Amino acid sequence: MTKLSVNINKIATLRNSRGGDTPNVVQFAKDVQRFGAEGVTIHPRPDERHIRYQDAYDLKPVVYTEYNIEGNPNPKFIDMVLAIKPTQVTLVPDAVDALTSNAGWDTITHKDFLVDVIKQFQAEGIRTSIFVDPELKQIEGAKATGTDRIELYTEAFAHQYGLGNTKAIEPYTKCAELASTLNLGVNAGHDLSLDNIQFFQQNIPGLLEVSIGHALISESLYLGIENVVNMYLNKLKG
């Protein structure tokens, strides 16, 4: 059974756009778990343009499923993760000015750095995952870092699948198979949606977890807007 972890960054983006506390990210995290989500994911960035570092601390007491914190392991991020001790930390090589995650780690070039960071987290009982492109050499490189899991970067698959190219799944399947032989757990995320998630899951052996945010929140707006519009109309009937 593949677990669904809901990335709530977009809720924080909406909150920040008005400067208040609506929608409330802590309440949203409580609600998605109540609705059945098996994890909550956040991805704080240095400029705190969506999830803030304080949010990461505020969420700790209410996430009773799996708490996954993603990010580039700079010193501030490392200190935060070690203080909070989430279920899982997912290491992502974000550039400071990146709009969103756009590449996996070069696990070969950055092996020594990743080894050091992963050891720090694992010493505190925090499961580690590395964000990687679907390349066999990067899976082998990830194994050499000592990580517990990899997270397959799925944007390329999602784009090609949307164009009707189902063969785009093949490198992901091969990487998952290799990860299994190396005793690496497999997670996945980025641009997975209601349109492609079932096909992806059915073709990735041993898929443990998917982290979905942008599509899930967008789909929730579309699929829930009719109900809310009618609730307003009923209120205005007097």
Side-chain angles (χ1 to χ4, degrees), residues 27-38 40 64-65:
Q27 185 60 49
F28 194 85
K30 291 179 181 179
D31 289 339
V32 294
Q33 291 174 102
R34 180 166 56 88
F35 299 152
E38 296 147 309
V40 173
Y64 56 85
T65 54

Side-chain angles (χ1 to χ4, degrees), residues 130-147:
I130 300 178
F131 195 61
V132 292
D133 296 318
E135 300 173 3
L136 296 178
K137 65 179 181 180
Q138 298 302 340
I139 310 305
E140 293 170 345
K143 176 62 178 179
T145 69
T147 190

